[in-house]
Amino acid sequence: MADNCSSVEIVEGCRLPVLRKNQEHEDEWPLAEILSLKEVSGRKLFYVHYIDFNKRLDEWVTADRLDMKKLQFPKKEAKTPTKNGLSGSRPSSPERPEREVVPKRKEVVPLVTPVPPATPVPALPSSTETSQAAVFPVVREPPPFKAREDLEPIPTVTTNGTARRLIPPQPGRKRKANCGGPDEMIKVLQYNKPQSAAVFLPPPEDSQDSSDGIPTAPRMTGSLVSDRSHDDIITRMKNIECIELGRHRLKPWYFSPYPQELTTLPILYLCEFCLKYLKSLKCLQRHLTKCNLRHPPGNEIYRKGTISFFEIDGRKNKNYSQNLCLLAKCFLDHKTLYYDTDPFLFYVMTEYDSKGFHIVGYFSKEKESTEDYNVACILTLPPYQRRGYGKLLIEFSYELSKVEGKTGTPEKPLSDLGLLSYRSYWSQTILEILMDLKPDNGERPQITINEISEITSVKKEDVISTLQYLNLINYYKGQYILTLSEEIVDGHEKAMQKRHLRIDPKCLHFTPKDWSKRGKW
């Protein structure tokens, strides 16, 4: 495909199809952008980013994998100035044929994409985000279901400094003005099918989706959310070829700011106990003779079988915390890296054998969070993924929230894999609660949204968004109901049979600290 590669000069920013193998090991030619070029032993190599693919798939490719017939060169600078007198075009954007531009409505993408329920569910007015289509039910007559892009703009009014959406009255049927709040009891109805049930759901008071987009800038209290303003060609490219950690060799997914002199090495060696990085195997062997650690520094607060959790204070163990952040950045793209680890606690999960406690994954959290975040970053190392450790980390974070007497939610945005893990955990946890409800003195069992939140420590907004993601909410005779079909129940039971790793609260030895009373962490 690259016979005329020598006659046509490829520059950074060009786009063209590149040959790669998909998950079925079949050839495909997705469009890719050239981010960098280099020459090794007389061969030209091109670093490509596959458009609409995750950055962890970026790679160096040879010229024979490029389709030069469909090469698109970067668009030149536009001559028409913008309001600020600067050009509005991007040099790296390829030239494309002109086409009609259809204006799109500005929209914030929610964490959970609403799935159309069997019966239409209306939107709840949000008190803080008037531009975002709400995904929660409200105390109003449900309008006919429309797709998000078909919805008409809803007028807003400002009262006492708070923006509210005005929903026009629906003609036709009348209904009661109020059908209860989040403390109203939810009734469970048993149908003829033994595996089916419906739960009456009251509309919640606070409908603000917990899945708002990326904030404009990280908070000064220690947020790890990346604002993307620091992105450049350097940070868009993987800089570490391979990492050896204990008995595993890891291929990094993303850029991590390790020292520049280490990025040219074929393998970067890490001590699996203190996470110190070294440039050669000989240096690692010499380090291991002096390193006395056989487990992460800090307090062991949980142990069951071979699984242990260690609590590490980012102020008391700065070197370890910074090394952990450097390693985690290789596999997390949506978070930034702060060398000031003082505001954070790190909870490291390990697996024990005769040689010591080997790191499996970790999550971090702020010592003081004004937004009820119980997780800042969460990661299961690639060798341990798809084995249930991710859900175990999530479950442990909520167990800590239960001990603290709080409800919690992870800091947004979540990575694609993190979102899948949280959706799965929330779904299984909430379904477990609903299916375990028992009749009381012959009466139908009752529960409220707030009670579900208190039992699980899952924030109320995450409970409701999960119910909508599962497509359980329906509107029936003036009330919102949740319908658990046989398919949902069977799928849940099969998933729980595969979930062997669970947190045992009896094995947790944790005393929460009041960080607000401490002058310095």
Side-chain angles (χ1 to χ4, degrees):
M1 283 292 183
D3 295 338
N4 56 346
C5 181
S6 56
S7 59
V8 179
E9 183 181 0
I10 300 178
V11 297
E12 294 175 1
C14 288
R15 293 189 179 186
L16 73 171
V18 177
L19 176 64
R20 69 179 296 272
K21 297 284 187 181
N22 60 19
Q23 292 181 337
E24 288 75 30
H25 300 286
E26 299 171 347
D27 290 348
E28 61 179 5
W29 292 85
L31 185 66
E33 180 180 353
I34 305 294
L35 298 184
S36 184
L37 301 87
K38 69 178 181 181
E39 192 165 331
V40 178
S41 302
R43 296 181 67 192
K44 269 193 175 182
L45 297 178
F46 306 86
Y47 192 86
V48 299
H49 166 64
Y50 299 103
I51 308 301
D52 298 328
F53 284 72
N54 192 285
K55 278 169 56 177
R56 63 173 169 264
L57 298 177
D58 296 1
E59 60 181 338
W60 288 98
V61 300
T62 53
D64 58 341
R65 291 174 57 181
L66 308 180
D67 186 356
M68 299 297 299
K69 296 178 182 177
K70 299 179 181 179
L71 179 64
Q72 304 173 19
F73 285 98
K75 188 182 296 184
K76 296 180 180 179
E77 291 284 351
K79 296 181 180 179
T80 305
T82 61
K83 293 181 179 179
N84 300 327
L86 300 175
S87 171
S89 67
R90 293 179 58 197
S92 61
S93 300
E95 294 180 351
R96 292 185 177 178
E98 295 183 4
R99 59 181 180 182
E100 182 182 356
V101 178
V102 180
K104 294 184 179 179
R105 187 179 295 109
K106 186 178 180 181
E107 163 180 76
V108 179
V109 180
L111 168 66
V112 179
T113 304
V115 182
T119 308
V121 179
L124 211 169
S126 171
S127 60
T128 56
E129 293 288 338
T130 59
S131 64
Q132 179 179 0
V135 295
F136 303 137
V138 288
V139 195
R140 282 183 172 83
E141 190 69 17
F145 179 80
K146 291 184 178 181
R148 181 185 288 267
E149 55 269 22
D150 297 333
L151 292 175
E152 295 297 323
I154 298 175
T156 62
V157 64
T158 302
T159 306
N160 296 330
T162 302
R164 302 177 183 276
R165 289 196 286 183
L166 297 179
I167 299 183
Q170 298 294 326
R173 294 163 46 198
K174 295 182 179 180
R175 55 166 297 180
K176 294 181 180 179
N178 192 352
C179 63
D183 292 320
E184 178 185 332
M185 301 307 293
I186 302 175
K187 300 178 182 178
V188 179
L189 301 179
Q190 294 294 334
Y191 286 100
N192 293 332
K193 295 181 180 180
Q195 298 272 9
S196 298
V199 185
F200 282 94
L201 174 69
E205 293 173 349
D206 180 11
S207 66
Q208 178 63 34
D209 192 359
S210 62
S211 58
D212 292 341
I214 301 175
T216 54
R219 302 188 317 283
M220 296 305 293
T221 53
S223 168
L224 292 177
V225 174
S226 171
D227 64 356
R228 318 304 291 172
S229 62
H230 65 284
D231 275 5
D232 54 30
I233 289 297
I234 300 298
T235 59
R236 287 179 67 188
M237 296 171 51
K238 304 171 193 174
N239 59 333
I240 303 296
E241 186 68 27
C242 180
I243 291 176
E244 183 169 306
L245 180 68
R247 61 179 179 272
H248 301 291
R249 283 196 175 178
L250 316 177
K251 194 175 177 68
W253 296 349
Y254 307 111
F255 172 88
S256 183
Y258 279 102
Q260 179 67 30
E261 61 270 17
L262 301 180
T263 59
T264 57
L265 301 173
I267 299 177
L268 178 63
Y269 295 87
L270 264 62
C271 171
E272 63 175 326
F273 300 115
C274 71
L275 301 183
K276 181 178 180 179
Y277 45 84
L278 302 115
K279 64 181 182 179
S280 67
L281 180 59
K282 190 172 184 179
C283 291
L284 175 64
Q285 291 170 344
R286 189 184 303 119
H287 165 79
L288 289 176
T289 61
K290 298 180 285 185
C291 182
N292 297 322
L293 280 180
R294 288 299 175 265
H295 59 76
N299 299 322
E300 185 180 11
I301 60 174
Y302 179 91
R303 181 188 291 188
K304 184 175 183 182
T306 59
I307 300 296
S308 293
F309 279 86
F310 291 82
E311 182 185 53
I312 297 157
D313 190 325
R315 182 181 69 85
K316 296 179 180 178
N317 300 280
K318 275 192 176 180
N319 286 338
Y320 183 89
S321 301
Q322 290 174 357
N323 290 337
L324 179 60
C325 289
L326 282 170
L327 173 62
K329 187 64 186 69
C330 291
F331 307 99
L332 293 174
D333 181 44
H334 62 294
K335 302 290 184 181
T336 188
L337 183 71
Y338 282 175
Y339 285 96
D340 180 15
T341 58
D342 287 15
F344 294 96
L345 294 169
F346 297 84
Y347 295 90
V348 178
M349 178 168 63
T350 63
E351 216 174 33
Y352 175 76
D353 64 16
S354 58
K355 295 182 179 179
F357 294 80
H358 308 281
I359 181 172
V360 171
Y362 89 103
F363 68 88
S364 60
K365 63 185 290 187
E366 295 177 70
K367 294 175 180 177
E368 290 184 274
S369 175
T370 58
E371 301 178 47
D372 296 328
Y373 290 142
N374 64 354
V375 165
C377 286
I378 185 168
L379 171 70
T380 305
L381 291 175
Y384 299 95
Q385 290 177 1
R386 302 185 64 83
R387 292 166 57 181
Y389 290 113
K391 279 198 186 72
L392 199 66
L393 282 167
I394 296 172
E395 186 178 4
F396 189 79
S397 71
Y398 281 108
E399 284 297 329
L400 297 183
S401 295
K402 290 177 185 178
V403 176
E404 294 169 347
K406 302 176 182 177
T407 59
T409 188
E411 186 176 281
K412 311 302 185 303
L414 293 166
S415 66
D416 52 351
L417 298 179
L419 176 56
L420 289 173
S421 296
Y422 266 96
R423 276 181 177 172
S424 179
Y425 173 79
W426 288 334
S427 300
Q428 292 180 8
T429 302
I430 294 169
L431 286 173
E432 203 170 20
I433 296 293
L434 297 178
M435 291 173 59
D436 286 345
L437 294 176
K438 303 296 181 184
D440 185 17
N441 296 328
E443 296 289 331
R444 297 186 182 110
Q446 297 178 334
I447 195 170
T448 67
I449 291 293
N450 282 344
E451 285 175 346
I452 295 176
S453 180
E454 290 170 4
I455 293 171
T456 61
S457 281
V458 176
K459 205 170 183 181
K460 185 172 60 178
E461 291 79 10
D462 294 332
V463 173
I464 300 173
S465 64
T466 301
L467 295 176
Q468 294 229 323
Y469 169 72
L470 292 172
N471 198 20
L472 299 183
I473 300 180
N474 293 282
Y475 190 76
Y476 180 73
K477 290 186 178 180
Q479 289 179 299
Y480 295 93
I481 64 171
L482 299 178
T483 305
L484 303 180
S485 64
E486 288 190 39
E487 183 180 358
I488 290 286
V489 173
D490 291 343
H492 171 71
E493 290 177 347
K494 290 179 181 178
M496 295 306 291
Q497 288 174 1
K498 297 178 182 177
R499 189 173 163 187
H500 304 296
L501 295 174
R502 299 298 297 269
I503 294 295
D504 185 354
K506 297 177 182 177
C507 299
L508 176 63
H509 304 282
F510 170 70
T511 303
K513 299 175 183 177
D514 187 358
W515 297 100
S516 62
K517 294 182 179 179
R518 297 172 179 245
K520 187 177 179 181
W521 293 309

